Amino acid sequence: DAKTTQPPSMDCAEGRAANLPCNHSTISGNEYVYWYRQIHSQGPQYIIHGLKNNETNEMASLIITEDRKSSTLILPHATLRDTAVYYCIVRVERGGSNYKLTFGKGTLLTVNP
Amino acid sequence: GAVVSQHPSRVICKSGTSVKIECRSLDFQATTMFWYRQFPKQSLMLMATSNEGSKATYEQGVEKDKFLINHASLTLSTLTVTSAHPEDSSFYICSARQGGSTGELFFGEGSRLTVL
């Protein structure tokens, strides 16, 4: 399975952009990059995913490098409610239309007032 | 976004008993659901993939006879922890995929199991 590497923790000031990096140097050409976050004792929340192109939605932006070996999740204006563990995941294809998501240790983002 | 609901959210049981956790996709049909387990301060660990109408696929090291999975309909999967022991105490989370090969995976709120 493709592995991801994330810093264990990061801090960000409220109102500033939070940039969360992720390395996935062994990613294959057809594997998607997903980002989820988990607030304490809750189920993970989907944020965004992408394959090659940069993606943006109402929550965040995902920047994927041209060689696809790394990506950055950007929260444009972090709020205290964005404090959570953020997981960068490479979707592993299992054949047909099946796939699985394997979670790593993630990055604990703490947004400070 | 799509909603996935789990029940119960918390359950306490005695050692040796069996506990059933339900996972429902409320506003979409899910041919595939996934069951994860999370111990304190650790990441989610995939236990098994639940496929509607067929047997579940278990990850290496997960006992299929202990963690029984039934995916009887397109909106419901159940996980039964049989003969539970204190070491089975954990946060169990299900997820369901909303259609298609690029469908997003939505997670339930989780079920916290405490075995006394």
Side-chain angles (χ1 to χ4, degrees):
Chain A
D1 294 356
K3 302 293 186 184
T4 60
T5 304
Q6 299 177 254
S9 63
M10 291 183 65
D11 283 275
C12 176
E14 187 178 18
R16 306 297 291 269
N19 297 283
L20 292 90
C22 178
N23 287 321
H24 32 78
S25 58
T26 59
I27 194 171
S28 298
N30 63 342
E31 292 177 332
Y32 285 77
V33 178
Y34 278 72
W35 283 83
Y36 283 80
R37 71 181 183 184
Q38 186 179 27
I39 297 170
H40 182 63
S41 294
Q42 296 183 23
Q45 177 189 21
Y46 167 82
I47 301 174
I48 199 167
H49 75 281
L51 182 62
K52 294 180 180 179
N53 300 320
N54 297 336
E55 302 287 344
T56 296
N57 62 21
E58 64 277 5
M59 289 184 68
S61 294
L62 174 61
I63 308 298
I64 303 174
T65 58
E66 191 169 344
D67 62 8
R68 301 211 326 120
K69 293 184 176 182
S70 65
S71 60
T72 301
L73 178 74
I74 301 173
L75 307 179
H77 305 286
T79 69
L80 299 179
R81 286 194 299 269
D82 292 323
T83 293
V85 177
Y86 286 77
Y87 296 99
C88 168
I89 304 162
V90 171
R91 193 179 93 176
V92 177
E93 305 301 318
R94 288 175 125 172
S97 59
N98 289 322
Y99 66 85
K100 68 174 182 178
L101 298 183
T102 301
F103 285 73
K105 296 183 178 180
T107 295
L108 172 60
L109 174 68
T110 302
V111 180
N112 301 304
Chain B
V3 178
V4 175
S5 178
Q6 282 184 242
H7 177 80
S9 59
R10 294 178 180 270
V11 56
I12 300 173
C13 71
K14 294 181 178 180
S15 185
T17 60
S18 295
V19 174
K20 179 184 286 188
I21 301 169
E22 293 185 347
C23 176
R24 294 180 185 274
S25 56
L26 297 185
D27 52 358
F28 65 99
Q29 293 183 330
T31 55
T32 305
M33 292 184 175
F34 302 85
W35 286 96
Y36 291 81
R37 179 170 55 182
Q38 185 176 33
F39 292 109
K41 297 187 178 181
Q42 294 188 24
S43 186
L44 285 77
M45 184 191 78
L46 180 64
M47 298 175 66
T49 302
S50 171
N51 301 298
E52 187 268 336
S54 64
K55 292 183 178 180
T57 304
Y58 289 81
E59 296 299 304
Q60 190 173 10
V62 179
E63 300 175 60
K64 63 180 181 180
D65 294 330
K66 181 168 182 62
F67 299 100
L68 302 179
I69 292 173
N70 186 303
H71 195 151
S73 76
L74 287 171
T75 59
L76 173 64
S77 176
T78 60
L79 168 69
T80 300
V81 183
T82 62
S83 187
H85 291 284
E87 56 265 31
D88 298 323
S89 297
S90 188
F91 193 49
Y92 291 87
I93 309 168
C94 75
S95 64
R97 193 179 72 188
Q98 186 182 28
S101 60
T102 59
E104 298 162 12
L105 207 60
F106 295 94
F107 285 80
E109 316 95 322
S111 299
R112 186 163 301 282
L113 170 63
T114 302
V115 184
L116 302 177

